C-alpha cells in the first residue's frame, strides 16, 4: 500500500474489543452464536456463492464464513482481519476442514490491498462498526473498487433502526433483550455502544448509495441489527 497521509485512520488502534490472544479468540468463538457452520452455510447458499467465485470477507474473525464459502466451491476466498490471533485461529480451523483456497491477510478495511481477480462477492459481518462514519464511507468506496461490476456486497452489523429520538429506550431494550449471563453480557453491549461506532440505518444506506451501490435488499433483523445485499452498479 502507498504511504498513507498523517491524517489517515490507524486501524491497528482498535476501538472496543481487541483480539490480541488466542484465549480471547477462543472466548469470542464460544460466544458468537450468530455464527454457526449451519448459519454460515445458509448465507453462502442464499448469496449464491459457488464454483469459481472470488470472495473477500472483511473482518473475517474465526473464518467460519470463509470456510463455508471455500467448501461451497469458491475459487479463492480472501479472509481479511486486523487481528493476528484471529487469523491464526482461522487458519487452523481451515486446515482442519481441509480447505486450501483461503488466503489470509492481516489488514483492515482501509488498508487491505486486493490483488488478483476482482471480487464477485465482498462480505462483512459484525465488524464495520469498528470504524467511525467518515471512515465507513472510505471503506465502502474501497469495497466498491475491488468488486466486479454487478458484484455483491453483503453487510450485516449492529445498525440502529429505532427512531433517533428514542435512542435511550432503543439501546436499553437491546441490552435487556440480548444480554445473557453467559455469552455476550450487558457490559459487552455497554462497551459496544460507548466505545464503538454503530450508527443509524439511514446513514449506512446513504453512504452505500453514494459509494455506487444499489441496495437490492435491506432487512432490519431487529431495531439494533440490519443486513444489506448491495449490487455494485456499472453494468
Ligand atoms: C465481532 S468480530 C466478527 C467476526 C466474523 N465476521 C463473524 O461474523 O463472526 C469482528 C472482527 O473484526 C476484526 N476487526 C476489527 N477491526 C478491524 C478492521 N479495522 N479491519 C478489519 N477487521 C477488523 C476483529 O479482529 C474481529 O475479528
Amino acid at each position: 500500500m502507498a504511504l498513507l497521509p498523517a491524517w489517515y485512520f490507524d486501524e491497528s488502534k482498535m476501538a472496543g474489543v481487541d483480539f490480541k490472544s488466542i484465549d480471547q479468540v477462543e472466548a469470542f468463538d464460544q460466544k458468537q452464536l450468530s455464527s454457526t457452520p449451519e448459519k454460515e452455510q445458509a448465507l453462502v447458499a442464499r448469496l449464491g456463492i459457488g464454483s469459481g467465485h472470488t470472495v473477500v470477507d472483511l473482518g473475517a474473525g474465526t473464518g467460519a464464513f470463509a470456510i463455508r464459502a471455500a467448501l461451497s466451491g469458491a475459487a479463492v476466498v480472501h479472509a481479511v482481519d486486523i487481528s493476528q490471533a484471529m487469523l491464526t485461529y482461522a487458519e487452523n480451523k481451515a486446515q482442519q476442514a481441509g480447505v486450501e483456497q483461503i488466503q489470509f491477510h492481516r489488514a483492515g478495511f482501509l488498508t487491505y490491498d486486493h490483488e488478483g481477480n476482482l471480487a464477485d462477492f465482498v462480505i462483512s459481518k459484525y465488524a464495520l462498526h469498528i470504524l467511525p462514519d467518515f471512515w465507513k464511507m472510505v471503506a465502502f468506496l474501497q469495497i466498491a473498487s475491488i468488486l466486479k461490476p454487478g458484484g455483491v456486497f453483503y453487510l450485516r452489523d449492529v445498525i440502529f433502526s429505532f427512531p433517533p429520538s428514542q435512542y435511550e429506550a432503543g439501546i436499553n431494550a437491546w441490552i435487556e433483550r440480548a444480554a445473557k449471563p453467559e455469552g455476550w453480557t450487558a457490559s459487552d453491549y455497554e462497551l459496544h455502544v460507548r466505545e464503538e461506532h454503530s450508527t443509524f440505518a439511514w446513514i449506512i444506506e446513504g453512504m452505500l448509495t453514494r459509494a455506487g451501490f444499489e441496495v437490492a435488499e435491506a432487512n432490519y433483523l431487529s431495531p439494533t441489527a440490519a443486513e444489506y445485499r448491495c449490487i455494485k452498479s456499472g453494468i
Side-chain angles (χ1 to χ4, degrees):
M1 183 136 202
L3 195 63
L4 296 170
W7 48 260
Y8 214 75
F9 188 76
D10 183 353
E11 292 182 285
S12 68
K13 291 194 183 128
M14 273 171 56
V17 182
D18 196 350
F19 300 103
K20 281 206 173 79
S21 71
I22 286 289
D23 287 354
Q24 281 169 310
V25 173
E26 270 169 6
F28 166 84
D29 209 16
Q30 300 286 317
K31 293 194 212 179
Q32 188 66 337
L33 301 178
S34 66
S35 173
T36 63
E38 296 73 26
K39 287 180 185 168
E40 302 294 5
Q41 183 58 47
L43 180 59
V44 166
R46 201 178 119 209
L47 293 175
I49 295 175
S51 184
H53 287 139
T54 296
V55 180
V56 178
D57 185 355
L58 293 169
T62 60
F65 182 86
I67 290 168
R68 301 319 301 184
L71 288 171
S72 297
V76 56
V77 183
H78 299 278
V80 180
D81 205 286
I82 204 83
S83 154
Q84 186 54 53
M86 278 288 185
L87 289 170
T88 304
Y89 189 84
E91 225 166 328
N92 285 340
K93 266 178 46 175
Q95 258 174 21
Q96 281 165 25
V99 292
E100 290 176 351
Q101 67 273 50
I102 305 181
Q103 294 179 19
F104 295 90
H105 307 267
R106 185 170 190 197
F109 285 98
L110 305 170
T111 48
Y112 170 58
D113 206 359
H114 185 73
E115 288 177 359
N117 290 343
L118 287 176
D120 299 284
F121 295 88
V122 175
I123 83 125
S124 185
K125 292 196 289 99
Y126 295 115
L128 187 78
H129 60 257
I130 214 77
L131 296 179
D133 284 358
F134 175 83
W135 295 103
K136 289 190 186 84
M137 183 69 220
V138 176
F140 288 155
L141 290 166
Q142 304 218 152
I143 290 166
S145 78
I146 65 172
L147 268 169
K148 289 179 182 164
V152 172
F153 171 41
Y154 173 84
L155 171 67
R156 191 196 306 163
D157 206 350
V158 177
I159 292 170
F160 303 139
S161 54
F162 47 70
S165 62
Q166 290 167 31
Y167 70 92
E168 219 169 331
I171 296 293
N172 285 333
W174 174 41
I175 296 175
E176 216 165 282
R177 187 180 67 247
K180 305 274 182 301
E182 288 174 358
W184 297 113
T185 63
S187 64
D188 289 325
Y189 291 110
E190 287 159 1
L191 178 141
H192 180 103
V193 178
R194 195 175 54 241
E195 295 186 19
E196 304 190 6
H197 304 283
S198 278
T199 190
F200 287 105
W202 44 272
I203 296 177
I204 294 283
E205 288 157 24
M207 290 197 281
L208 286 167
T209 307
R210 283 168 179 77
F213 290 106
E214 176 213 333
V215 178
E217 200 182 332
N219 295 317
Y220 308 107
L221 307 168
S222 74
T224 53
E227 63 172 4
Y228 298 98
R229 187 174 56 82
C230 308
I231 312 292
K232 180 184 169 175
S233 49
I235 42 169

